[in-house]
Amino acid sequence: MNLFYKLFRHTQNSHQQTVKYFEGVFKMKKQYVSRRFVGLALIAALTLPTAAAAQANVKQITVNTGITVQVDGKSTKMTNANGNPVEVFEYNGTTYVPLRGVAQTMGANVSYDSATRTAIVNSPSSTQSNSTYTAIQQLYRAAQEMYTASHAMCSLSINGMISNADPIFLEKQYNINMSRYEVACISAISVPQSDPSYTTINEIVSYLDTVKYNYEKTYEVVQNGMFTQVYLDRMSTYDIDGGYAASMALILCNGLLDSLE
């Protein structure tokens, strides 16, 4: 500001002095001015097109508001990421609704990548698939481990070799398998009814309950040392019933796992 203030203070009577002053300025500041000019030119080249483009993307339109959104028969209020209400409107025959509001109402996850300016929507099926896959795996392992342990106790008992088994090991194995059963059932409960695997998973749980029942009965015989022929026959029945239920559970689990992979 001081430079231009001094320049414009000159009058016509000091015209020659002003000219000399200008010449001095340009000689002394030539490099500075040229660099500053180039810098300003570059800034202008970068910002002006952007500003022009932004201006070009701005458009005033007249819309129709007061539109209610219903999802699965229920009126739903549209909100943004902060929970604030967002207006739904109609323009030229098309209804515009906030993506996040609709997607989340239908159970989808929504995120935004600011670097690429991309809105990302993961459908309910994709967000559920991981939990469903985990539930099936846990059901598979619970059925397999419980029957394997039950069958081993039955075989040792019938062959008169159960005394060689460590009671502490059998008890520890039993407790681990009961915990595994509980975890598998909790995972199965977390699968929503809308999941395509829901009905089959419930069927697997039913078979798993049968495996668990026969496992408990077999362990009860071993724990109490009831190795009369009557109880050994019962153990054989437990083994057959538990084996069938375990086989069915594993077959169904394999079918679901194949469909998800």
Side-chain angles (χ1 to χ4, degrees), residues 81 98-105 107-113 118-123 127:
L99 177 63
R100 182 182 296 276
V102 175
Q104 288 184 340
T105 300
N109 288 332
V110 182
S111 59
Y112 181 71
D113 186 346
T118 303
I120 302 168
V121 180
N122 290 317
S123 64
T127 54

Side-chain angles (χ1 to χ4, degrees), residues 128 131-132 135-136 186-195 197-198 201:
Q128 291 169 6
S131 60
T132 301
I136 297 168
I186 291 172
S187 295
I189 292 173
S190 68
V191 177
Q193 293 186 13
S194 58
D195 194 292
S197 306
Y198 178 80
I201 286 176

Side-chain angles (χ1 to χ4, degrees), residues 195-246:
D195 194 292
S197 306
Y198 178 80
T199 301
T200 305
I201 286 176
N202 279 323
E203 190 176 354
I204 294 170
V205 171
S206 179
Y207 283 121
L208 189 64
D209 288 339
T210 302
V211 176
K212 174 178 175 287
Y213 172 81
N214 288 283
Y215 181 30
E216 287 174 330
K217 289 297 183 182
T218 300
Y219 181 70
E220 182 181 331
V221 172
V222 173
Q223 191 178 37
N224 296 324
M226 300 180 293
F227 299 118
T228 63
Q229 191 59 47
V230 173
Y231 282 102
L232 290 177
D233 290 342
R234 288 181 182 178
M235 287 182 75
S236 295
T237 302
Y238 299 150
D239 188 53
I240 293 171
D241 291 347
Y244 172 78

Side-chain angles (χ1 to χ4, degrees), residues 38-211:
V38 172
L40 291 173
L42 286 174
I43 293 172
L46 292 173
T47 58
L48 288 178
T50 304
Q55 242 352 75
N57 289 331
V58 175
K59 181 181 180 181
Q60 270 193 327
I61 59 174
T62 301
V63 300
N64 296 318
T65 59
I67 297 173
T68 302
V69 176
Q70 287 189 353
V71 177
D72 294 331
K74 296 180 180 179
S75 295
T76 305
K77 292 183 178 180
M78 296 292 101
T79 59
N80 59 17
N82 298 321
N84 299 320
V86 178
E87 189 77 52
V88 178
F89 63 88
E90 180 269 332
Y91 173 68
N92 278 354
T94 300
T95 301
Y96 293 84
V97 295
L99 177 63
R100 182 182 296 276
V102 175
Q104 288 184 340
T105 300
M106 301 181 73
N109 288 332
V110 182
S111 59
Y112 181 71
D113 186 346
S114 57
T116 59
R117 295 173 59 83
T118 303
I120 302 168
V121 180
N122 290 317
S123 64
S125 59
S126 64
T127 54
Q128 291 169 6
S129 61
N130 289 336
S131 60
T132 301
Y133 189 86
T134 301
I136 297 168
Q137 283 186 317
Q138 290 175 338
L139 290 168
Y140 183 99
R141 187 174 183 188
Q144 185 181 49
E145 295 294 334
M146 283 197 297
Y147 177 68
T148 299
S150 179
H151 178 69
M153 286 190 295
C154 180
S155 297
L156 289 173
S157 298
I158 291 174
N159 292 311
M161 300 174 62
I162 192 65
S163 59
N164 296 329
D166 182 0
I168 297 177
F169 170 78
L170 293 179
E171 181 181 8
K172 182 179 180 181
Q173 185 182 46
Y174 177 81
N175 291 332
I176 290 174
N177 284 328
M178 288 299 107
S179 296
R180 184 172 286 126
Y181 164 82
E182 291 176 2
V183 170
C185 289
I186 291 172
S187 295
I189 292 173
S190 68
V191 177
Q193 293 186 13
S194 58
D195 194 292
S197 306
Y198 178 80
T199 301
T200 305
I201 286 176
N202 279 323
E203 190 176 354
I204 294 170
V205 171
S206 179
Y207 283 121
L208 189 64
D209 288 339
T210 302
V211 176

